[in-house]
Amino acid sequence: MPTLEELKLLAENDQLFDYAIRQLERLDRFGPLPGIVLPLIEAFLPVLPLIVLVVANAVVYGLIKGFLYSWIGAVAGAVLVFLIVRGLGRRRFFRFLRKNRQVKRVMVWFEEHGFGPLFLLMCFPFSPSAIINVVAGLSGVKTRDFLLAAVLGKSVMIFSITFVGDSITSFTSNPVKTIVVLICISLFWLLGKYLEQRLAARARRKKG
């Protein structure tokens, strides 16, 4: 098992992709578990680029299974980090983070807008997912809104990466792929807003 420094060095030298494929192939006797665990670990070790792990899953398991395994792992990792931070948010280290001006600004943004900004941030592969999960956990955003944003936002992001493959340039140069991805993002956005409104209406009825 490589150390954190060794993983960082592999990523810096563009060798992490080949390493991930070798490990997934070596552990194929465990079925989908390695493909799920790798994206899950990324939530705790942001030094690992999620894009590389998602593309490696697609190469080893195929488009559909690779997408599903990556999505399950990424969502599980984000939710675990969120819940851990939510549970430990009153500890001294996290109190220090709460006092940071930029962190407080993002926390207020999440609290005021809920699902919308979380969904959009989770749609983009280069968003700092570890920071988003931690700050959301520290904020007063509803767990329901975070779960909804993670499930839908991560699916858009991982579908985009898996569909486009390991070439970011092909995303911008191929208009058909771009249109398909944008349509999917729009559909998930509408679905998310619809579910958010339904859940909010149900909560108001219970209060009434």
Side-chain angles (χ1 to χ4, degrees), residues 44-172:
F44 295 88
L45 298 176
V47 67
L48 300 175
L50 182 61
I51 292 178
V52 171
L53 303 180
V54 172
V55 174
N57 269 352
V59 169
V60 174
Y61 297 108
L63 183 64
I64 303 301
K65 288 183 179 179
F67 162 71
L68 288 175
Y69 300 162
S70 297
W71 176 66
I72 292 169
V75 172
V79 172
L80 281 174
V81 171
F82 173 83
L83 293 176
I84 290 171
V85 173
R86 177 64 53 97
L88 302 176
R90 301 296 176 185
R91 298 293 178 90
R92 181 178 299 177
F93 173 74
F94 290 110
R95 284 202 301 267
F96 168 77
L97 280 179
R98 285 175 181 271
K99 294 178 181 178
N100 183 280
R101 182 179 299 178
Q102 291 182 330
V103 171
K104 287 176 68 174
R105 188 179 303 167
V106 177
M107 286 170 58
V108 171
W109 188 45
F110 284 165
E111 290 166 2
E112 290 180 349
H113 300 283
F115 168 82
L118 284 169
F119 171 80
L120 287 176
L121 288 171
M122 290 185 183
C123 280
F124 297 104
F126 297 107
S127 295
S129 58
I131 296 174
I132 294 167
N133 300 334
V134 170
V135 175
L138 291 173
S139 74
V141 69
K142 295 178 181 178
T143 303
R144 177 198 68 200
D145 288 343
F146 182 85
L147 290 174
L148 191 61
V151 168
L152 297 179
K154 294 287 185 185
S155 64
V156 172
M157 177 189 67
I158 291 170
F159 168 77
S160 304
I161 298 171
T162 306
F163 186 71
V164 174
D166 61 348
S167 175
I168 300 300
T169 57
S170 70
F171 178 82
T172 57

Side-chain angles (χ1 to χ4, degrees), residues 142 144 199-208:
K142 295 178 181 178
R144 177 198 68 200
L199 291 170
R202 185 179 300 176
R204 285 196 298 270
R205 286 196 298 268
K206 287 182 179 179
K207 288 182 180 179

